[in-house]
Each structure stands twice: as structure tokens, then as C-alpha cells.
Amino acid sequence: MTNNNQQFASDNYSGICPEAWVAMQKANQGHERAYGDDQWTERAAEYFRNLFETDCEVFFAFNGTAANSLALASLCQSYHSVICSETAHVETDECGAPEFFSNGSKLLTAASVNGKLTPESIREVALKRQDIHYPKPRVVTITQATEVGTVYRPDELKAISATCKELGLNLHMDGARFTNACAFLGCSPAELTWKAGVDVLCFGGTKNGMAVGEAILFFNRALAEDFDYRCKQAGQLASKMRFLSAPWVGLLEDGAWLRHGNHANHCAQLLASLVSGLPGVELMFPVEANGVFLQMPEHAIEALRNKGWRFYTFIGSGGARFMCSWDTEEARVRELAADIRAIVGA
């Protein structure tokens, strides 16, 4: 029987995956030391170090906005700037939090190709002005997978990293859907981060089966100085930290994080294949992660909504975004595709 309440507006709609739920339940036994000085937080951090094959610094925050904003603030002074894509989440969907937590570091948008920054676009913004009246570029932030569902390849990351080193910039990765990028490419987490020159990663858990919680990984450990104080000041130091870190143990200990990413990606590919070739329906971007962006007539979008489907259309006139989740059912994907097919008259 199909789960008729499953929607495609956001992968945040999904519930908690069994692995995270069981780990939370196990952590809910007896007393543990507070503020991260507990066995679950230690275990989660060690799992991350093993997964990424390096002795990185690991911190936990409640949500992605805080993780990104605090990480960027740690890389900047207030007179610095951060170069990002014009579609970057930090630019369009975080309500000025990066600027707020950095006490004013300015976001500078660069042109992107299918949601991805290029060395050329970074260099253009970084070298546009170098006088004292302009905020000094200090950081590049990229999103993996991007806001339009595309994925940076390792060689693209290395080229961006080389540009950053040339220009004296740190490299931050917003990995809200990092899992989906790893699943699509079949690359190791290390290959897509520090081995390619990434200094800091915000690894998303919420969109991959957790209730709350993101991990901030500093591969350049020197950049993590006093980061624990930033978290505390920003209200991101959980007193009962084990309940933020234990779900990560559940996701990481037997590879559930990657299984869920593969499943979500598979459902997105299925949807794309089922609507391929329909009249008036076109893919706006390559389907490489768990999102499908479709150009459709306005009447079709309205008709879909009238049938009870929920999805976002903030990506331009006629553009509809459909996100698949760790628990998306194939039957529900087929229902959506059938309704699209019926509406456009195929």
C-alpha cells in the first residue's frame, strides 16, 4: 500500500531513519556527561575520522544554517568577504546568518554553470577590486551536491582548490546533501573533501534520516581554534549532546548514510526517466543527486497542486523542484509521474 502522505517538496519532510532512531534509543539509557563529554559524541567523532581517513576536528550543531554560518565566521574577519554561487543556500536561504555570525563579512556572488562555481568565476570576483575600500575576499564556499542537484567531480574540486590556494582563500563546503554526491560519484568522502583541497565541511544529517543535527569537520585543524566557543555563544552547544551525536553513530557504523543516499538518488533517477519525453516537460538540470528540476507549463503546475502534490517553484518561471528522500517509495514516484503524464496529455 502506497504511503499517500509522502511528498516531494523537500527531503526535510521525511521522518527519522531506523538506524538513527535505534541509536537515539540506545543513547537514552542512564546518565552521561553533558556538553559533548560523553561516549556517544566521542564515538561519532571517531567514526567521522575513520570515514574521512584523517584526524579532523569534529563539532556538532543543530542545523545547517548554524553549521554553515559558524564555519564561515571562523574563516573570516568582519572586513572579509565570502565568494559563493548566486544560487548558494548561504546567499538565498539563510536570512543573513553568515553575515550576522561573522559580524559583517560580505557575501560576493559569482556566476555558476549548472549551479557550480568555476575557477574562472572565482578569480573574476576575487580580483575585481583589491583596494582597501572593498571587503577582502577570504573564503570560497561551494555546495555539494549543489542547490540545483548537480555534483562537483574531484577534478573540479581540485581546480577550485588550486585557485583558492593561488589567491590565498580558504575553501568551505556546504554538504547538506554530501551523502548524495558521494553516492552518485562512487567516490570516498576523503576524495571529495580534504584530498581535493577542502578545508572545512558541513556534513548534513537532517536530509539523510536524522531529526536534527549537522556535523562540522575541520580538515585544516588550525582553522578550528576556539570553534567550540563559537558554538556555545551561538546557542549551538547541546547540553545533552549525546542525542545530537548518537544518530550519527547509527548512520555511520554500518554504512546506512550511503545506502540512504543511494536510494534517494535512485528515486530521483526513476522520476526523471518516467517523465522523459513528455510534451512540455523538460529537465532543467542534470539529475545527479536526489532532486529533479522540471520545466513545465504553468497550467500543469497548478493542476499538480490541485491534485494535492507539494513541491517548490522558487527556481524560476515554470520550474518545479521535486526532492526524493531516504524513505521515498518507488510506488509514490510512479504515482507522481502518472499524474504529470495525465496532466500534460501524454
Side-chain angles (χ1 to χ4, degrees):
M1 186 175 182
T2 306
N3 185 348
N4 289 323
N5 75 347
Q6 281 198 348
Q7 292 289 347
F8 295 85
S10 172
D11 31 11
N12 289 326
Y13 275 37
S14 62
I16 305 172
C17 68
E19 297 85 358
W21 187 268
V22 169
M24 287 268 284
Q25 193 173 31
K26 289 179 180 177
N28 193 32
Q29 306 294 322
H31 284 211
E32 288 279 353
R33 293 170 70 109
Y35 301 108
D37 192 19
D38 63 272
Q39 61 164 317
W40 290 95
T41 302
E42 182 180 352
R43 286 175 62 192
E46 203 53 39
Y47 272 124
F48 275 117
R49 294 182 185 113
N50 290 334
L51 181 65
F52 283 85
E53 308 168 52
T54 189
D55 187 23
C56 52
E57 290 274 12
V58 183
F59 301 88
F60 299 98
F62 288 100
N63 55 50
T65 294
N68 285 329
S69 301
L70 294 175
L72 291 173
S74 73
L75 306 177
C76 290
Q77 297 291 339
S78 57
Y79 49 84
H80 286 142
S81 58
V82 176
I83 298 172
C84 64
S85 163
E86 73 273 10
T87 60
H89 198 269
V90 293
E91 163 70 8
T92 64
D93 290 282
E94 293 185 354
C95 197
E99 297 94 330
F100 176 80
F101 282 108
S102 63
N103 291 315
S105 297
K106 186 175 178 62
L107 297 181
L108 301 177
T109 58
S112 59
V113 179
N114 281 339
K116 294 190 280 189
L117 290 181
T118 64
E120 294 72 27
S121 64
I122 292 168
R123 190 174 285 109
E124 180 182 0
V125 173
L127 300 178
K128 179 181 179 181
R129 281 178 61 179
Q130 296 177 290
D131 59 274
I132 200 167
H133 304 286
Y134 199 68
K136 184 179 182 180
R138 189 55 182 269
V139 182
V140 170
T141 179
I142 56 178
T143 313
Q144 177 78 311
T146 72
E147 288 77 9
V148 297
T150 52
V151 171
Y152 288 93
R153 275 58 171 176
D155 60 335
E156 292 175 309
L157 295 173
K158 289 175 182 175
I160 287 172
S161 172
T163 302
C164 289
K165 285 182 171 59
E166 171 196 332
L167 299 173
L169 307 172
N170 291 314
L171 182 56
H172 164 264
M173 178 179 282
D174 174 353
R177 298 183 178 93
F178 181 73
T179 290
N180 303 96
C182 290
F184 175 74
L185 293 174
C187 293
S188 73
E191 290 173 306
L192 295 182
T193 52
W194 65 271
K195 286 185 177 180
V198 173
D199 294 303
V200 185
L201 167 70
C202 294
F203 193 144
T206 309
K207 291 178 171 62
N208 197 33
M210 287 172 53
V212 292
E214 315 289 299
I216 305 108
L217 279 59
F218 285 83
F219 304 110
N220 183 341
R221 293 172 66 96
L223 298 175
E225 183 178 358
D226 292 340
F227 192 74
D228 49 348
Y229 286 85
R230 287 190 183 276
C231 291
K232 172 61 178 179
Q233 187 182 61
Q236 292 294 313
L237 177 63
S239 54
K240 296 184 179 181
M241 183 69 80
R242 57 177 156 155
F243 297 111
L244 276 189
S245 53
W248 280 112
V249 173
L251 280 176
L252 299 178
E253 63 184 351
D254 71 344
W257 68 281
L258 190 57
R259 289 197 301 274
H260 294 326
N262 272 312
H263 175 76
N265 288 4
H266 164 73
C267 288
Q269 292 286 349
L270 176 61
L271 176 60
S273 68
L274 290 172
V275 300
S276 176
L278 294 181
V281 178
E282 294 182 9
L283 282 176
M284 298 176 67
F285 306 101
V287 179
E288 296 180 346
N290 61 321
V292 180
F293 293 75
L294 297 178
Q295 191 85 36
M296 294 192 295
E298 288 295 333
H299 73 85
I301 288 175
E302 183 179 357
L304 266 183
R305 287 196 165 127
N306 288 339
K307 283 179 170 286
W309 294 104
R310 294 183 182 178
F311 51 92
Y312 285 121
T313 54
F314 54 74
I315 34 134
S317 177
R321 186 192 79 167
F322 300 90
M323 298 303 301
C324 297
S325 307
W326 69 269
D327 64 344
T328 297
E329 296 179 1
E330 285 192 20
R332 190 66 169 155
V333 174
R334 295 181 187 279
E335 284 183 9
L336 172 60
D339 277 351
I340 293 173
R341 180 178 295 275
I343 287 167
V344 299

